[in-house]
């Protein structure tokens, strides 16, 4: 009998693996329901143009994209945000705002597999739409903290690093940057912890700034910054602010991030 391996970056789920995966999914669904979110789903295949529109032509290098027999350019979804935006735009009048939707499903990215990163993976997506107050951000942050706590992790095990795009406005106002240059700057900041300092400094100097100015600014941003006031009050009332660390370098590289931005980090295993 011929022996076949799984495609690179993909994996099998034997019964014991399925049981663990399904337990995780059950916990996610139960938590989302407790927070008042309802489940949706979209197709695995989308038009490649939906991703080009969001991220430019270069995004196709990170996609499993191909042309169908009907000459349609399609891609396996690398994320669900564009699908969600399309669905909301199509039927936004049919639902009472704010929308509180969640989704659990497979996504695919054509990149080199590495530690904790495969080409096929699952995402738990939770979104609030039609609500712009800090209370919506606080609810999503609270849910993200609880997503970790439901599996038994404590304050010693993880931290939620919080930033806000708005904290960088005063810094950016020192420079007459175009929109493209501002985006480039935020992409540099997003990768500052993963890039050698000399490389970061060179990139910043090309924009008229430098690494020392950026580091001095970041060290000045604390939990007392007014941009975090409402979030802090809300999360303190929930008893969750102790899990939060302020980190201005968490800005994400995509333009649609405009306010609060956060990521959860493992404190014991460098993840």
């Amino acid at each position: 009998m011929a022996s076949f391996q799984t495609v690179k970056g993909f994996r099998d789920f034997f019964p014991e693996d399925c049981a663990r995966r399904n337990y995780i999914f059950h916990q996610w669904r139960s938590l989302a329901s407790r927070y008042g979110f309802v489940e949706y789903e979209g197709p695995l295949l989308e038009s490649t143009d939906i991703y080009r529109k969001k991220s430019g032509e270069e995004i196709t290098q990170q996609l499993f994209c191909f042309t169908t027999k009907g000459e349609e350019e399609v891609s396996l979804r690398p994320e669900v945000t564009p699908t969600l935006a399309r669905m909301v735009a199509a039927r936004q009048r049919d639902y009472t705002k704010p929308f509180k939707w969640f989704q659990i499903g497979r996504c695919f990215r054509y990149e080199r597999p590495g530690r904790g990163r495969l080409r096929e993976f699952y995402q738990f997506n939770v979104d609030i739409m039609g609500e712009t107050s800090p209370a919506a951000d606080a609810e999503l942050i609270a849910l993200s903290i609880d997503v970790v706590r439901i599996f038994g992790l404590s304050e010693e095990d993880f931290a939620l690093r919080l930033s806000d795009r708005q904290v960088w406005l005063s810094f950016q106002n020192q420079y007459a940057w175009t929109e493209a240059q501002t985006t480039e700057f935020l992409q540099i900041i997003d990768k500052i912890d993963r890039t050698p300092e000399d490389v970061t400094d060179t990139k910043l100097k090309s924009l008229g700034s430098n690494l020392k100015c950026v580091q001095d600014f970041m060290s000045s941003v604390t939990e007392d910054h007014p941009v975090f006031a409402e979030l802090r009050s809300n999360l303190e009332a929930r008893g969750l602010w102790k899990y939060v660390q302020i980190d201005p370098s968490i800005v994400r590289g995509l333009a649609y991030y405009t306010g609060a931005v956060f990521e959860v980090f493992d404190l014991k295993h460098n993840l």
Side-chain angles (χ1 to χ4, degrees):
M1 179 183 294
S3 175
F4 296 102
Q5 301 295 319
T6 56
V7 176
K8 188 176 182 179
F10 291 72
R11 56 185 165 167
D12 296 314
F13 284 88
F14 289 93
E16 61 273 21
D17 302 313
C18 259
R20 295 188 189 98
R21 184 197 64 184
N22 292 344
Y23 170 75
I24 292 170
F25 289 180
H26 172 74
Q27 293 292 85
W28 286 349
R29 285 192 170 95
S30 296
L31 181 64
S33 296
R34 291 203 299 272
Y35 270 81
F37 288 79
V38 294
E39 190 167 5
Y40 75 97
E41 181 57 283
L44 290 178
L45 274 182
E46 288 278 11
S47 167
T48 301
D49 282 340
I50 200 172
Y51 305 113
R52 285 196 186 103
K53 185 177 178 72
K54 173 188 166 187
S55 305
E57 181 64 37
E58 64 275 8
I59 190 64
T60 58
Q61 301 303 312
Q62 303 169 34
L63 302 179
F64 281 93
C65 51
F66 55 94
T67 303
T68 70
K69 294 177 181 178
E71 300 301 315
E72 297 174 287
E73 285 191 88
V74 297
S75 296
L76 289 170
R77 65 186 185 194
E79 58 164 318
V80 184
T81 301
T83 297
L84 173 63
R86 176 179 55 73
M87 292 173 65
V88 169
R91 291 188 53 190
Q92 60 176 310
R93 297 181 183 221
D94 297 342
Y95 299 96
T96 302
K97 294 181 178 67
F99 306 160
K100 295 177 63 176
W101 291 6
F102 81 93
Q103 183 268 354
I104 300 169
R106 278 185 170 100
C107 294
F108 308 84
R109 292 187 183 171
Y110 191 82
E111 59 183 1
R112 179 177 296 178
R115 184 185 181 194
R117 295 184 71 90
L118 295 174
R119 288 174 168 176
E120 177 194 35
F121 55 95
Y122 287 91
Q123 281 193 178
F124 176 33
N125 301 285
V126 183
D127 295 271
I128 299 176
M129 295 149 289
E131 176 57 65
T132 60
S133 76
D137 290 328
E139 184 165 3
L140 291 172
I141 290 170
L143 187 148
S144 298
I145 292 171
D146 280 342
V147 162
V148 184
R149 295 204 303 168
I150 58 174
F151 296 109
L153 277 73
S154 69
E155 185 180 354
E156 291 73 37
D157 298 307
F158 75 96
L160 184 141
R161 296 184 187 172
L162 172 67
S163 182
D164 193 299
R165 282 285 186 97
Q166 300 303 305
V167 304
W168 287 99
L169 288 180
S170 60
F171 183 88
Q172 295 168 42
N173 287 340
Q174 304 173 60
Y175 306 93
W177 286 336
T178 64
E179 183 177 344
Q181 288 174 316
T182 298
T183 298
E184 181 183 354
F185 170 74
L186 291 171
Q187 289 173 343
I188 294 169
I189 300 303
D190 182 52
K191 298 176 182 176
I192 198 167
D193 290 335
R194 306 186 300 276
T195 305
E197 289 191 351
D198 59 329
V199 174
T200 299
D201 192 44
T202 298
K203 290 181 177 180
L204 289 169
K205 284 178 177 176
S206 73
L207 294 172
S209 186
N210 60 69
L211 181 58
K212 185 178 186 309
C213 286
V214 165
Q215 290 174 331
D216 288 346
F217 176 79
M218 288 198 297
S219 65
S220 73
V221 179
T222 70
E223 63 181 17
D224 295 320
H225 193 291
V227 78
F228 302 120
E230 289 191 58
L231 275 177
R232 181 178 178 178
S233 176
N234 188 305
L235 293 169
E236 282 181 338
R238 297 172 187 256
L240 298 177
W241 185 251
K242 63 183 179 180
Y243 296 96
V244 176
Q245 296 177 358
I246 301 302
D247 184 350
S249 71
I250 305 295
V251 293
R252 308 299 293 164
L254 298 174
Y256 63 72
Y257 290 96
T258 58
V261 190
F262 58 90
E263 296 180 3
V264 176
F265 287 82
D266 183 334
L267 297 178
K268 292 186 176 178
H269 305 92
N270 195 31
L271 294 173

